[in-house]
Amino acid sequence: YATLEGFVAAKLLTEGLRRTGPNPTRTKLMNALEGLRNYDLGGVTVDYSPTDRSGTNFVELTVLNKECKIVR
């Protein structure tokens, strides 16, 4: 499940950089990410704005048994 979070973060950063254009700066990247509204990253939808940087409300529940193996 941690790899899913990394995958989503990588896709998000890639899209943000694509939207900054040929000369990315920190400010351009922040503006590009803050402009993502209801953006589907491939099954996970994110939503950012200058006042809301939570991204998504998606939560995945993982259940472990006594041996710390994933049950669900």
Side-chain angles (χ1 to χ4, degrees):
Y1 296 102
T3 55
L4 175 62
E5 186 177 339
F7 174 77
V8 169
K11 286 193 77 165
L12 181 62
L13 178 61
T14 302
E15 181 60 22
L17 287 170
R18 186 187 70 75
R19 291 178 180 220
T20 62
N23 298 308
T25 65
R26 182 177 187 268
T27 301
K28 287 181 182 179
L29 179 59
M30 285 176 36
N31 290 337
L33 292 173
E34 289 173 349
L36 291 173
R37 301 285 193 285
N38 211 19
Y39 185 74
D40 187 356
L41 291 166
V44 176
T45 303
V46 295
D47 194 31
Y48 288 98
S49 73
T51 58
D52 182 9
R53 294 182 177 162
S54 59
T56 184
N57 293 325
F58 176 78
V59 176
E60 180 68 45
L61 179 64
T62 304
V63 179
L64 304 177
N65 65 14
K66 290 180 183 178
E67 291 79 35
C68 294
K69 295 191 180 194
I70 297 174
V71 176
R72 184 181 86 159

